[in-house]
Amino acid sequence: MGLGNRAQGLPRAVQGCPRLDFAKTPRKSEGLVCFRDIRPGAPHHYLVVPIEHMGNCKTLKKEHIPLVEKMMEAGKNILQRNNFTDLNDIRMGFHWPPFCSISHLHLHVLAPASHLGFLSRMIYRTNSYWFITAEQLIERLQTENTAS
């Protein structure tokens, strides 16, 4: 199944992933692409992906903190463009290896977090072995790099 023009300019690792929804043209901005998750865990569920291929969140270093912050900002922007404004009721984070279904860095943006169903609350559970919030990842990157 080809993705045609909708996937042009996206990383090959992202283009071939059946989990990502290319039904609508993704938004590209400042080296990132943002689109709806094909299996939404919330009424608003987007993925923010760097166009340049990067591994998973466990491979990131301190110098990647600005990228993570930029991904978070893009996630907030896509929510606001889609008329979701309660930024206190969102969850943004990454699946922690080996619990990743995609081998390309991607930020999950879910809203409203208060409307996550039972299964989504488990899959995107904070303080778990398989999911880390963007804020926790930034703290981890800062801590790991100052300890070394």
Side-chain angles (χ1 to χ4, degrees):
M1 172 172 77
L3 298 171
N5 292 335
R6 293 183 180 129
Q8 283 183 348
L10 299 180
R12 187 169 297 280
V14 174
Q15 289 179 24
C17 181
R19 179 148 159 68
L20 306 181
D21 180 7
F22 290 100
K24 294 183 180 178
T25 304
R27 287 190 173 272
K28 285 193 240 180
S29 174
E30 298 181 36
L32 300 173
V33 63
C34 183
F35 45 87
R36 289 188 181 275
D37 193 297
I38 196 168
R39 288 189 226 149
H44 295 271
H45 187 170
Y46 304 97
L47 298 178
V48 178
V49 182
I51 292 174
E52 179 184 331
H53 179 74
M54 305 201 69
N56 58 55
C57 62
K58 200 172 184 178
T59 65
L60 299 180
K61 306 284 183 224
K62 186 174 186 173
E63 60 265 18
H64 295 113
I65 291 174
L67 171 64
V68 175
E69 292 171 337
K70 187 164 85 168
M71 292 171 77
M72 292 171 63
E73 190 61 33
K76 290 175 186 175
N77 288 339
I78 197 72
L79 288 171
Q80 291 172 329
R81 278 196 297 270
N82 285 281
N83 300 316
F84 186 84
T85 57
D86 184 3
L87 298 181
N88 293 316
D89 193 16
I90 64 175
R91 183 158 306 157
M92 290 196 285
F94 303 88
H95 287 293
W96 192 254
F99 304 100
C100 300
S101 59
I102 301 169
S103 63
H104 186 97
L105 184 67
H106 61 286
L107 172 70
H108 288 270
V109 180
L110 300 111
S114 60
H115 290 142
L116 293 174
F118 174 76
L119 187 57
S120 292
R121 282 194 314 268
M122 297 306 294
I123 294 170
Y124 304 103
R125 186 171 137 193
T126 57
N127 300 317
S128 66
Y129 291 111
W130 53 88
F131 188 79
I132 184 170
T133 67
E135 292 88 355
Q136 289 171 322
L137 177 60
I138 289 171
E139 286 176 24
R140 186 181 191 107
L141 292 173
Q142 290 170 333
T143 303
E144 284 180 358
N145 287 286
T146 55
S148 40

